Amino acid sequence: MIRRSIAALALVTSAAVVTAQERPANQAAKVATPGAIDAIGPQLTAYFDTWMKNAHVPGLVFGVVRDGRLVVVRGLGVQDVASGVPVTADSSFRIASMSKAFTALAILKLRDAGKLSLDAPAERYVPQMAGWRYPTKDSPRITVADLLHHTAGFVEDNPWGDRQQPLSAQAFTSMLKAGVPFARAPGLKMEYSNFGYATLGRIVSNVSGMPYERYIQREIMAPLEMKSTGYDVINMPQRGRALGYRWQQDAAGQGGWVREPDMADGAFGAMGGVQTSARDYWRWVAFLLSAWPARDDTDTGPVKRGTVRQIVEGANFVETRERPPFLGAPCRQSWAYGKGWFNVADCDLGKVLTHTGGYPGYGSVVALLPEAGVGVFAFANRTYASPVQPAFQALMTLRAAGLASDRPLQVSAGLARAYDAAKASWRSGDPASAPLAVNVPLDRDLARRRADIAALKATVGACAMNEPIAPLSAMEGTFVWACANGAVAGRVQRAPTPALSLQVLEFKPAP
């Protein structure tokens, strides 16, 4: 046992900005903005440094991924309090429940290969579950999707589940055969379950014909060149490991770090057993972000882009929460669990995919803005110390600096034609000059629509009509025209027909 006063330990800081060339082999080169990132780098580092010291964390590493590159990585503090070895981008940390994302994607990859169905009863792939006693006679059988979404009816099990990591495969088989008590019938509520994700690991093993950790390393991690990432921490190289600690105070209020014992990999590793470094993990983040937007490029990743985008799909058990004060003005967020990820809607950040990891000796966090192609992650080596606050502060700062803006939608050829039709209709003053869907004259007759256009033209005068349309989708968009005496706001929406047909054609005075 090692005890050391936080005041007595000199925290060593190492910093590095990764070059623009460091990207996965399957990532195309893109224009970087290293100057802008460099300018806010000290501010981002300050968030994590302050949090680390306040939370009594020995060491931490964080990274920022943008447009397929690791643009910032910083090591703070030490990976071993006894030796004082500093944390670097190559230091390995256990990332606990952030491992669930690998398990979930492995399930989806096996689904794509036709080896399992998400809607099938889980007992089809784990026979030991067939004899379970459900909480009610009308309970539906647990499906693979229930396990992915934490809706199987199991009890929340973080305190217990974390200590099951080294459970043997044989012991887990016995546990599955014996069955478990239920918190409620399946399908009624999302309740986080490590046991459920360990069961998914068993499904990966049974369906793939190899241990889940070997399948994930071979099929996902190796193609992404995650060379120092794995599950067997006892037999992985020890030199670069960030050792795990807990912060403990005595009766006099004096605190110190106590070494947490290492847990070997076992049957519960599918819920939290991954060990990785920032130098490796950013490749995973970049790969996930590369799934957005949907496009026609060749798929080069270990899992199809369309499949990766399905990680956001939840079971519709949505909760709303008041966001933490450190993110600024009050705002209600919505939360739903997808497939290994929480899907969050924030009033400033928009869609956020996030997950934390909490484990004896470690805490971690990852947060992605898929529509912007930006992600932030951080690993710490103190029990349950997940750096959520500085990670989200970093995202907010990147957003405010214009470095994490959502990518604009592209104007489809069909929408461009619809916009041209709207312009022609305005010029002629006759909506019938556009290819109108059958609903338009029924919703408001054409004579009144002509009168509306004439009245608006008389009010605003000549309009430039040179502003591009702002797409809401490939089928709908809005526009604003500057005019001599005001402005016109408009909207077009195509009908769901192959031939161009407008179901919405609007012109209104703009504020």
Side-chain angles (χ1 to χ4, degrees):
M1 182 173 66
I2 300 173
R3 299 178 67 93
R4 186 75 61 90
S5 166
I6 190 169
L9 181 66
L11 296 180
V12 183
T13 302
S14 64
V17 177
V18 177
T19 65
Q21 283 71 38
E22 185 155 4
R23 58 177 179 268
N26 63 332
Q27 295 290 318
K30 298 178 182 177
V31 176
T33 53
I37 290 290
D38 289 348
I40 64 171
Q43 185 176 359
L44 304 185
T45 302
Y47 293 144
F48 287 94
D49 188 51
T50 299
W51 176 87
M52 183 186 75
K53 292 173 180 175
N54 290 340
H56 304 298
V57 171
L60 175 150
V61 66
F62 77 92
V64 177
V65 177
R66 183 172 184 263
D67 289 337
R69 296 185 184 88
L70 179 63
V71 293
V72 176
V73 62
R74 298 284 190 274
L76 305 172
V78 297
Q79 63 183 32
D80 178 351
V81 299
S83 66
V85 174
V87 171
T88 72
D90 295 305
S91 299
S92 294
F93 291 75
R94 300 194 89 157
I95 60 172
S97 285
M98 282 159 52
S99 308
K100 290 180 172 67
F102 291 96
T103 301
L105 202 62
I107 289 287
L108 294 179
K109 183 176 175 68
L110 289 166
R111 185 277 314 273
D112 287 353
K115 295 187 176 182
L116 60 81
S117 168
L118 301 188
D119 295 327
E123 63 196 52
R124 179 183 299 178
Y125 312 109
V126 184
Q128 293 81 10
M129 297 175 67
W132 281 14
R133 181 175 180 178
Y134 280 72
T136 62
K137 291 182 179 180
D138 63 354
S139 293
R141 310 303 285 183
I142 294 169
T143 66
V144 177
D146 288 329
L147 298 174
L148 281 171
H149 300 312
H150 297 296
T151 57
F154 302 146
V155 68
E156 185 275 327
D157 62 356
N158 275 317
W160 173 85
D162 291 341
R163 298 294 179 175
Q164 305 307 309
Q165 173 76 47
L167 191 73
S168 70
Q170 182 178 1
F172 188 41
T173 298
S174 298
M175 183 183 293
L176 288 166
K177 188 173 182 179
V180 295
F182 284 80
R184 58 184 55 81
L188 293 178
K189 183 181 179 181
M190 181 269 175
E191 186 163 0
Y192 194 84
S193 173
N194 291 300
F195 177 83
Y197 264 73
T199 306
L200 287 172
R202 176 57 61 92
I203 291 176
V204 172
S205 297
N206 288 348
V207 169
S208 70
M210 66 183 77
Y212 72 87
E213 67 273 16
R214 187 186 306 167
Y215 177 83
I216 292 171
Q217 285 188 283
R218 190 185 78 174
E219 298 294 327
I220 297 176
M221 294 173 177
L224 295 177
E225 300 183 10
M226 300 177 72
K227 299 177 181 178
S228 63
T229 300
Y231 292 82
D232 189 3
V233 300
I234 302 301
N235 293 310
M236 290 172 71
Q238 301 298 302
R239 183 175 181 181
R241 285 193 66 214
L243 304 182
Y245 299 89
R246 71 175 183 271
W247 179 254
Q248 186 167 288
Q249 289 184 314
D250 58 24
Q254 296 297 311
W257 285 305
V258 179
R259 177 81 164 89
E260 289 274 20
D262 292 323
M263 287 191 287
D265 183 44
F268 268 60
M271 67 85 189
V274 170
Q275 177 175 277
T276 189
S277 66
R279 192 77 67 186
D280 263 15
Y281 190 77
W282 81 270
R283 299 175 183 274
W284 166 247
V285 170
F287 162 64
L288 295 175
L289 290 172
S290 73
W292 283 266
R295 58 196 184 275
D296 293 328
D297 300 358
T298 302
D299 256 325
T300 57
V303 183
K304 294 185 295 185
R305 288 194 302 269
T307 298
V308 172
R309 291 194 295 272
Q310 291 176 9
I311 63 178
V312 308
E313 296 175 358
N316 296 323
F317 291 97
V318 180
E319 299 179 1
T320 60
R321 308 176 186 178
E322 194 69 34
R323 75 178 184 181
F326 61 74
L327 285 182
C331 167
R332 296 292 290 178
Q333 297 175 328
S334 68
W335 286 69
Y337 201 86
K339 298 176 175 69
W341 294 86
F342 284 98
N343 188 347
V344 182
D346 180 81
C347 55
D348 290 315
L349 295 173
K351 180 190 291 293
V352 185
L353 301 182
T354 187
H355 214 292
T356 58
Y359 199 79
Y362 300 94
S364 52
V365 66
V366 57
L368 313 180
L369 302 182
E371 306 295 347
V374 172
V376 174
F377 64 89
F379 314 143
N381 61 341
R382 202 217 76 191
T383 299
Y384 300 140
S386 297
V388 174
Q389 177 173 334
F392 275 80
Q393 286 175 320
L395 281 181
M396 292 285 281
T397 299
L398 289 163
R399 192 81 150 185
L403 297 171
S405 301
D406 288 356
R407 299 185 183 98
L409 293 176
Q410 300 300 307
V411 178
S412 68
L415 183 58
R417 293 197 303 272
Y419 188 34
D420 288 340
K423 291 178 178 179
S425 176
W426 176 264
R427 291 190 187 99
S428 68
D430 185 3
S433 64
L436 301 178
V438 65
N439 65 284
V440 174
L442 296 176
D443 295 339
R444 186 172 178 80
D445 65 75
L446 294 180
R448 293 190 181 190
R449 288 179 181 271
R450 293 186 189 99
D452 293 340
I453 292 176
L456 186 53
K457 279 187 167 185
T459 300
V460 301
C463 300
M465 292 193 295
N466 55 8
E467 287 298 317
I469 191 167
L472 302 176
S473 73
M475 301 283 284
E476 182 181 6
T478 61
F479 53 88
V480 176
W481 295 333
C483 306
N485 302 312
V488 170
R491 180 168 74 102
V492 291
Q493 184 184 46
R494 290 185 57 190
T497 57
L500 180 63
S501 178
L502 303 186
Q503 62 173 319
V504 173
L505 176 60
E506 292 180 352
F507 303 104
K508 295 180 180 180

